[in-house]
Amino acid sequence: MSKPTFYITTPIYYPSNKLHIGHSYTTVAADAMSRYKRLRGYDVMFLTGTDEHGQKIERRAAEEGVTPQAFVDNIVDWIKDLWKTMDISYDKFIRTTDEDHKVTVQKIFKALYDKGDIYKSEYEGMYCTPCETFFTEHQLVDGKCPDCGRPVEKVKEESYFFKLSKYQDRLIKHIEDHPEFIQPQTRQNEMLNNFLRPGLEDLCVSRTSFKWGIPVEFDTNHVVYVWLDALSNYISALGYGSDNQELYNKFWPADVHLVGKEIIRFHTIIWPAILMALDLPLPKQVFGHGWLVIDGGKMSKSKGNVVDPSVLVNRYGSDAIRYFLLREIAFGQDGNFTNEALISRINSDLANDLGNLTSRTVAMIEKYFEGGVLPEVHEGNEFDADVQQIITEQIAKMEANMEKLFFNNALEDIWVIIRRFNKYIDETMPWVLAKDEANKAKLAGVLYTLAEGLRIVSIMIEPFMPRTPELIWEQIGLTRGELTAWDTIHTWGTMPNTVHAKKGTNMFPRIDKEKELAELEAAMKATQAAAAPQEEKPAKPKKEEITIDDFGKVELKVGEVIECEHVLKADKLLVSKIKIGDEVRQIVSGIAKYYTPEEFVGRKVVVVTNLKPVKLRGILSEGMVLCASDDEGNLVAVGPLGEMVDGAEVK
Ligand code: MSP
């Protein structure tokens, strides 16, 4: 018989080399669920990836002087490394720049257009001419451009629209008929009352004002705008619309889309409407989790308070961080992140509860029994029935909580067992039993109960803490196999009587809180400071080798700066008039931090003269002044080393 399937997704992340602990939260949660389902015998598809198109990326790449593709490639490698560090076991990593994704999006666009659900009209928005960017009224700051602070104007741009409004009634009905569709429940009312019932407007799904996107196949001035591109990843990743729809047929509809609360709306209104328009089944559930906040506010790089997950993983290991994220915060609600809470959790739950149970059990078996091996003959005691009953009850609760994605409750269910077992040690007092040879079978029974309990616990924690179980197994003589399979936790006494114990390394050493807090704070400050400029400047990818013919395409000439001034409200830019032989070019350069206009006038520089003119902050720039810059942020303009007339060719 084929296995049941389970398809879970995270949102696809915007490429940023500064994904923080909040981003890791969604991915860790999806990973725990995927691992749990795999352990329960499901054929799992766990999808994550990156959302790589848009004007912002196009701009940042231009600022870096690299192509948007090179820019995102570099960051995606970094993100994949981060997920490796966090032990994220995704089955597929989709990038919206993947060729097959692009083709699928184009097919979806065309199908919706042919059906009449996408139509051409005009997008009306607030436009900042210098920044060449559209904003919604909502994005404006005091009615002005949020980027440069200058006035904006109402303008129209030709766009394609998706008939979202057409699906309003069907969406309302679907949500009302399927109470499990939007979780947690409170989000359901929010969607119905705040968005659906007041009425939906059609959605702009194409743009002509930037190029970095998937071109509309039959109207290539347009690129597909944001959500249609991004949301389609959930089916394009399965090969929907391609020659091989095997995965799509196997896994769609998704069991759960895990998303942060700010994007629930897109996933429970726009995405289902697109699927309805395509006559495809809707995902079974969209679960909107809360945010990880710092001092009650959102983590953000501008506030300089983002927590770098790598710093934490390096200090405490990924299992501890994963445990903390899923245990401390009620999934669905916001939760405060503090270093103090993290260290307290590690000390109390991991070092004290789990660490002590393991080390005490193993140490006592080693101490009281020859070679650390329990004898075949065991005798029970009056506390056994209670611990076994608690195990049965807690397993049932834990499994039920996992189905609801209540990770923090599921972990608490496991910790009830761990704490009960620590109490069992105090109740049975093995050190007293060990004093009398006549109690050997009773002592063996107590230590077996502890080892068997530990085995069950070690299996139950695996979805959350994939590394720790093996460390426990090594200490109670197990390796991954039949005795560590999930189903065995339902049968008490699965482990053979002759447990072999062997002390291992301390899994979770107790942390000196005061000392650690100071060190951790310093480590975080250092990465925050280091990361700030990096956000703007990811490591530059090496450029491809070129031929002399390629180089010959670039026209370089000596020019003399004859006029220069600051660009209004653009701190970084100078605009220069540069004489190149018998012509004068206007060129905008990002050098205002390095030269005053007075310093720059009179210099001989090297100019790229056959570069396509562009507008920077609304000012025409007809070429580029060559500059050398290093990683420390120093920059100098490049010029001829000796006397040379302007207009002379550089080659
Ligand atoms: N690209 C879109 C999603 C498109 S899905 C078709 C996006 N990307 S994102 O990188 O901004 O966010 C990815 C996920 O990280 C979102 O679910 C978001 O809620 C989550 N988080 C970002 N900061 C967070 C916290 N501080 N806390 C918890 N989750 C947070 O949105």
Side-chain angles (χ1 to χ4, degrees):
M1 219 179 67
S2 63
K3 288 179 173 182
T5 59
F6 186 76
Y7 180 26
I8 183 165
T9 66
T10 70
I12 45 173
Y13 291 82
Y14 292 126
S16 154
N17 61 347
K18 208 153 153 212
L19 292 190
H20 53 61
I21 194 81
H23 295 111
S24 313
Y25 183 56
T26 320
T27 323
V28 165
D31 185 68
M33 197 60 192
S34 301
R35 287 178 186 270
Y36 174 70
K37 287 287 178 180
R38 288 189 200 112
L39 288 170
R40 304 295 324 254
Y42 283 74
D43 192 346
V44 172
M45 167 59 79
F46 166 17
L47 177 73
T48 189
T50 38
D51 187 357
E52 303 181 13
H53 291 125
Q55 193 168 26
K56 211 167 158 187
I57 297 287
E58 190 177 80
R59 285 239 172 109
R60 285 185 45 196
E63 280 165 21
E64 296 301 328
V66 294
T67 63
Q69 189 65 54
F71 181 81
V72 290
D73 285 351
N74 198 31
I75 294 179
V76 168
D77 285 345
W78 182 89
I79 292 177
K80 285 185 173 169
D81 279 348
L82 175 66
W83 294 155
K84 211 176 193 175
T85 316
M86 305 284 297
D87 290 320
I88 303 300
S89 61
Y90 57 77
D91 296 291
K92 176 150 186 171
F93 191 102
I94 185 163
R95 302 182 54 181
T96 52
T97 50
D98 288 342
E99 228 20 72
D100 40 3
H101 170 78
K102 293 196 249 177
V103 171
T104 301
V105 169
Q106 286 179 325
K107 282 189 184 164
I108 290 175
F109 200 99
K110 178 81 168 38
L112 298 181
Y113 179 76
D114 289 345
K115 193 181 174 192
D117 273 356
I118 282 182
Y119 61 92
K120 203 182 222 179
S121 180
E122 275 186 325
Y123 173 83
E124 205 175 89
M126 311 309 288
Y127 192 67
C128 174
T129 315
C131 297
E132 293 182 89
T133 308
F134 275 102
F135 297 101
T136 60
E137 297 260 5
H138 182 71
Q139 290 170 311
L140 302 179
V141 177
D142 299 329
K144 304 219 169 92
C145 170
D147 280 356
C148 73
R150 276 178 280 198
V152 289
E153 31 173 351
K154 216 175 208 162
V155 289
K156 289 179 177 176
E157 181 188 306
E158 182 188 90
S159 280
Y160 285 94
F161 282 80
F162 170 60
K163 274 191 190 163
L164 189 60
S165 55
K166 176 176 157 187
Y167 293 94
Q168 178 172 322
D169 295 341
R170 272 179 70 186
L171 285 167
I172 293 176
K173 180 149 177 20
H174 183 84
I175 293 171
E176 285 173 345
D177 291 350
H178 299 86
E180 72 295 344
F181 178 60
I182 305 180
Q183 288 298 323
Q185 285 256 331
T186 46
R187 308 278 182 209
Q188 234 174 74
N189 303 334
E190 195 182 313
M191 292 304 120
L192 286 169
N193 298 336
N194 299 357
F195 300 105
L196 281 157
R197 295 201 177 108
L200 295 175
E201 281 179 21
D202 290 350
L203 178 79
C204 170
V205 285
S206 81
R207 281 297 166 85
T208 53
S209 51
F210 64 94
K211 287 281 152 241
W212 181 237
I214 302 174
V216 173
E217 221 183 343
F218 52 90
D219 193 350
T220 48
N221 273 342
H222 289 254
V223 292
V224 180
Y225 185 54
V226 187
W227 287 100
L228 187 65
D229 172 4
L231 290 161
S232 303
N233 93 87
Y234 299 130
I235 52 175
S236 72
L238 302 178
Y240 170 76
S242 76
D243 296 343
N244 181 357
Q245 296 217 104
E246 208 178 300
L247 288 176
Y248 173 79
N249 294 334
K250 182 168 171 186
F251 288 108
W252 191 257
D255 291 271
V256 55
H257 290 314
L258 272 191
V259 302
K261 62 181 184 182
E262 81 285 14
I263 53 175
I264 295 178
R265 182 158 68 94
F266 304 102
H267 284 80
T268 59
I269 297 177
I270 297 176
W271 180 224
I274 294 172
L275 290 165
M276 283 173 179
L278 292 168
D279 289 320
L280 298 179
L282 306 196
K284 292 177 204 160
Q285 186 170 90
V286 176
F287 194 109
H289 65 71
W291 281 340
L292 214 58
V293 295
I294 289 209
D295 302 326
K298 211 177 168 195
M299 268 179 222
S300 84
K301 61 178 171 38
S302 55
K303 285 190 204 160
N305 67 357
V306 289
V307 175
D308 180 347
S310 319
V311 173
L312 300 180
V313 171
N314 285 341
R315 294 182 90 83
Y316 314 113
S318 59
D319 274 13
I321 305 310
R322 292 168 58 109
Y323 172 78
F324 174 77
L325 289 175
L326 297 175
R327 174 67 188 89
E328 184 78 4
I329 297 133
F331 204 66
Q333 293 166 30
D334 286 353
N336 209 23
F337 179 92
T338 65
N339 293 341
E340 203 162 1
L342 171 66
I343 295 170
S344 298
R345 277 274 172 213
I346 294 178
N347 276 344
S348 67
D349 299 9
L350 301 182
N352 272 6
D353 295 343
L354 180 59
N356 274 346
L357 176 63
T358 311
S359 58
R360 287 166 89 191
T361 303
V362 171
M364 287 192 291
I365 299 178
E366 279 198 314
K367 185 167 172 195
Y368 302 136
F369 291 93
E370 189 61 38
V373 182
L374 290 185
E376 190 61 53
V377 182
H378 295 178
E379 200 181 301
N381 65 66
E382 71 263 40
F383 305 103
D384 286 350
D386 185 52
V387 288
Q388 287 173 32
Q389 189 192 336
I390 285 194
I391 284 206
T392 312
E393 284 169 12
Q394 292 307 116
I395 292 174
K397 283 189 190 166
M398 186 267 181
E399 290 178 345
N401 276 321
M402 285 308 279
E403 290 309 316
K404 292 186 272 186
L405 297 116
F406 291 169
F407 301 111
N408 61 313
N409 294 346
L411 279 168
E412 175 56 22
D413 294 334
I414 304 173
W415 255 253
V416 167
I417 303 177
I418 296 173
R419 289 194 292 264
R420 180 65 190 87
F421 271 91
N422 274 321
K423 190 172 154 215
Y424 178 85
I425 298 180
D426 300 335
E427 288 167 343
T428 53
M429 294 189 283
W431 50 92
V432 176
L433 295 174
K435 286 189 178 139
D436 190 344
E437 205 37 45
N439 289 331
K440 266 279 155 157
K442 201 166 183 187
L443 179 60
V446 166
L447 295 177
Y448 175 82
T449 297
L450 288 169
E452 173 67 345
L454 205 50
R455 183 187 72 87
I456 290 175
V457 162
S458 67
I459 296 169
M460 293 176 82
I461 60 172
E462 191 173 355
F464 311 94
M465 306 168 76
R467 288 168 185 258
T468 306
E470 306 239 4
L471 300 178
I472 297 178
W473 297 340
E474 274 169 22
Q475 301 188 61
I476 53 173
L478 297 177
T479 48
R480 183 183 291 282
E482 277 174 23
L483 292 177
T484 64
W486 190 274
D487 282 345
T488 64
I489 68 173
H490 297 113
T491 313
W492 175 261
T494 300
M495 188 152 64
N497 277 6
T498 48
V499 175
H500 292 232
K502 190 166 181 298
K503 194 173 169 346
T505 47
N506 188 353
M507 300 181 298
F508 300 105
R510 229 192 124 70
I511 299 170
D512 175 343
K513 198 164 172 180
E514 293 307 309
K515 189 165 159 260
E516 181 63 20
L517 273 177
E519 284 181 22
L520 178 57
E521 220 124 281
M524 280 189 170
K525 287 235 163 73
T527 56
Q528 279 162 359
Q534 262 172 28
E535 172 67 7
E536 305 304 329
K537 273 189 189 305
K540 285 204 175 121
K542 233 179 167 169
K543 290 183 184 161
E544 270 174 49
E545 196 172 73
I546 57 168
T547 63
I548 189 77
D549 293 340
D550 292 328
F551 181 70
K553 289 182 191 157
V554 185
E555 188 180 72
L556 299 168
K557 288 188 177 170
V558 174
E560 182 176 347
V561 184
I562 52 173
E563 280 175 36
C564 181
E565 59 184 41
H566 283 285
V567 173
L568 200 67
K569 287 200 182 160
D571 307 349
K572 294 182 188 160
L573 303 183
L574 294 183
V575 53
S576 315
K577 293 266 161 55
I578 301 183
K579 182 175 168 301
I580 306 165
D582 45 17
E583 63 171 335
V584 174
R585 296 265 185 118
Q586 171 171 285
I587 296 181
V588 179
S589 318
I591 55 172
K593 252 170 69 189
Y594 310 95
Y595 295 98
T596 61
E598 297 72 37
E599 276 171 345
F600 209 46
V601 171
R603 296 211 181 220
K604 288 254 172 80
V605 289
V606 175
V607 179
V608 185
T609 45
N610 61 340
L611 205 58
K612 197 169 168 207
V614 287
K615 272 189 174 177
L616 291 168
R617 298 277 163 142
I619 299 174
L620 184 69
S621 184
E622 309 160 294
M624 185 170 83
V625 172
L626 288 191
C627 293
S629 61
D630 63 18
D631 290 341
E632 311 296 302
N634 302 307
L635 177 144
V636 288
V638 171
L641 287 179
E643 274 308 309
M644 183 52 63
V645 287
D646 59 81
E649 206 165 320
V650 179
K651 45 189 176 187

